[in-house]
Amino acid sequence: MEISPDSIEYTRWGLAVLNATILYTWGVMLLIVLFSWSVVRRLTSSTDFDFCQNLLEVLVGNLLNQIEDATRQNPARFLPFLGTLFIFILVSNILTFVPGFKPPTGSLSTTTALALCVFFAVPYYGIREHGLKNYLAGYLQPTPFLLPFNIFGELSRTVALALRLFGNIMSGSMMGAILLLLAPLFVPVVMQLVGLLIGVVQAYIFTMLAAVFIASGMEAHTETAKRKQKE
Amino acid sequence: MDTMGWIAVGSVLAAGICMGLGAIGSAIGEGIALSRALSSIAQQPDETNTIIKFLFVGMAMVESTGIYCLVLSMILLFANPFWAYFLEKAGG
């Protein structure tokens, strides 16, 4: 039994390996880009727009609202990063119900890559907001003795972010495969539906956690900067 | 029983115990979080959206211990490193 789509190899040129994860990741990316391109090409501001434009407008509008709720800041600058994360995870989780599709989010390498993006996005937004010095000073709060714990906290939540998405999606497809052996008639269909729900919830949770991490990084350092100004 | 048998018994037992104990912990935590969230929604229905959002985020954090146990037991059952090592030794 395959525990992750990494082990399914199609071709290999020397060191470069084309496995199922890379193939389906590019497939999902191509799908999203082609769909968005075909809709954006004929955007209209009149009232008789078609279903696809409506879908994208609802998606972007709701994303903006949710990000604003989570970060309590102007959501426009977070939208490119967080929206990309959400749409990619959502599409690759929803496509699980297509037979033969192995979700790239069920591989630890994909989820680690996504979590690393969040890991680097937190200092990026923090430094852009407050400057390098103020941001680094935030790690010494409340006392310099807590520096190792602050750093360890950053690392451990990145690991948790990656493992959570991987565990949920991988266990979903694993349970499906096991149930297909045990009870092949109706039970796998129900489990697929539960897996679909879990996939959507996990995409939402991943994005919200990233938003909360970024916002908390920025807020904590805002307090530091304010305290500095008072002194 | 030979070494391979003991490894198999140990892996299955460890996976079962790991999954069982791991599920208990995070299930109790999530139950408490959900009950508190529901009672606070009952008291402050206007804040439902905020409460639900924090509930989701908090539950995701609580759940991660359960997920660790799940991943660990899956590895023990289906991708056991000890098993692979002894298979290689026995074969080679």
Side-chain angles (χ1 to χ4, degrees), chain A residues 69 160 163-164 171 174 205 209, chain B residues 53 56-57 60 68 70 78:
Chain A
D69 277 354
L163 269 186
R164 176 178 310 117
S171 67
M174 203 76 143
I205 282 180
L209 280 180
Chain B
K53 197 183 69 225
F56 269 169
V57 172
Y68 291 157
L70 176 79
F78 298 110

Side-chain angles (χ1 to χ4, degrees), chain B:
Chain B
M1 226 187 305
D2 59 341
T3 326
M4 296 287 282
W6 280 115
I7 290 178
V9 170
S11 306
V12 173
L13 263 181
I17 293 172
C18 173
M19 196 60 246
L21 289 183
I24 289 173
S26 52
I28 290 176
E30 290 195 10
I32 293 175
L34 179 62
S35 73
R36 291 287 157 78
L38 285 183
S39 59
S40 46
I41 286 177
Q43 287 171 354
Q44 295 275 343
D46 292 344
E47 291 297 315
T48 305
N49 283 333
T50 318
I51 294 170
I52 290 275
K53 197 183 69 225
F54 280 112
L55 175 69
F56 269 169
V57 172
M59 267 196 175
M61 305 296 267
V62 173
E63 191 199 40
S64 54
T65 52
I67 294 289
Y68 291 157
C69 293
L70 176 79
V71 172
L72 198 62
S73 49
M74 284 279 182
I75 288 174
L76 278 175
L77 285 179
F78 298 110
N80 197 329
F82 309 110
W83 188 261
Y85 174 71
F86 274 98
L87 272 185
E88 192 181 306
K89 237 187 171 182

Side-chain angles (χ1 to χ4, degrees), chain A residues 20 34 36 46 64 75 104 149 186-187 210:
Chain A
L34 282 184
S36 313
S46 66
L64 280 173
F149 296 98
F186 288 120
V187 188

